[in-house]
């Protein structure tokens, strides 16, 4: 009788370990799935945030580019009008210089003054053209 009582606790230990075995496996499987789902959720959330931030940066950079473009065009328009004014001034000085050269006598020579003024206006015109080229 003792043999049967001794085999019974061993048998009960084996059945309890076999009962605990599958529950431990299911428990570990559950945690592995939870960790995997958490990693996937974090990855998808960071991808969403990255896309959102990139979209906002794209919008901001586009707005800044539009502002710079408008400012650039305004400066070009101002410089173009300045160049046109200077060209008309140069043209009138050329006409005046031609007229003075034609009407100059040996006693009066004002063409040097006009020529000096004309060269100064040409220098200013050249500098404005250079600034316009730099802006382009």
């Amino acid at each position: 009788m003792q043999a049967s009582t001794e085999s019974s606790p061993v048998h009960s230990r084996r059945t309890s370990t076999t009962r605990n075995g599958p529950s431990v496996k299911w428990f570990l499987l559950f945690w592995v799935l939870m960790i995997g789902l958490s990693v996937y959720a974090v990855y998808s959330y960071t991808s969403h945030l990255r896309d959102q931030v990139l979209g906002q940066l794209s919008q901001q950079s586009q707005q800044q580019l539009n502002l710079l473009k408008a400012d650039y065009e305004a400066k070009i328009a101002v410089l173009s009008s300045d160049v046109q004014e200077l060209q008309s001034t140069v043209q009138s000085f050329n006409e005046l210089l031609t007229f003075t050269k034609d009407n100059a006598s040996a006693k009066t020579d004002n063409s040097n003054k006009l020529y000096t003024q004309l060269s100064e206006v040409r220098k200013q015109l050249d500098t404005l053209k250079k600034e316009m080229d730099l802006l382009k």
Side-chain angles (χ1 to χ4, degrees), residues 67-85 87 127-136:
L67 288 174
L68 285 174
K69 183 179 177 183
D71 185 42
Y72 172 76
E73 288 174 353
K75 286 181 180 179
I76 290 290
V78 168
L79 284 175
S80 295
S81 65
D82 289 346
V83 166
Q84 288 175 354
E85 288 175 14
Q87 282 178 344
T127 57
L128 279 176
K129 284 183 180 179
K130 287 179 184 176
E131 287 179 16
M132 208 166 143
D133 289 339
L134 287 176
L135 284 175
K136 287 182 181 179

Side-chain angles (χ1 to χ4, degrees), residues 61-71:
S61 62
Q62 189 63 33
Q63 289 172 352
Q64 289 175 351
L65 283 174
N66 288 339
L67 288 174
L68 285 174
K69 183 179 177 183
D71 185 42

Side-chain angles (χ1 to χ4, degrees), residues 27-37:
F27 180 75
L28 290 175
L29 180 64
F30 171 75
W31 279 108
V32 167
L33 285 175
M34 290 302 290
I35 291 170
L37 287 174

Side-chain angles (χ1 to χ4, degrees), residues 78-113:
V78 168
L79 284 175
S80 295
S81 65
D82 289 346
V83 166
Q84 288 175 354
E85 288 175 14
L86 281 175
Q87 282 178 344
S88 66
T89 307
V90 167
Q91 184 64 31
S92 65
F93 277 139
N94 277 337
E95 291 172 1
L96 186 58
L97 183 60
T98 305
F99 177 75
T100 14
K101 281 184 180 179
D102 290 343
N103 293 330
S105 65
K107 295 179 182 178
T108 59
D109 191 15
N110 292 330
S111 63
N112 286 338
K113 291 180 185 177

Side-chain angles (χ1 to χ4, degrees), residues 14-38:
R14 285 184 184 168
T15 55
S16 66
T17 57
T18 55
R19 286 183 191 164
N20 288 340
S23 65
V24 169
K25 289 178 185 176
W26 286 110
F27 180 75
L28 290 175
L29 180 64
F30 171 75
W31 279 108
V32 167
L33 285 175
M34 290 302 290
I35 291 170
L37 287 174
S38 300

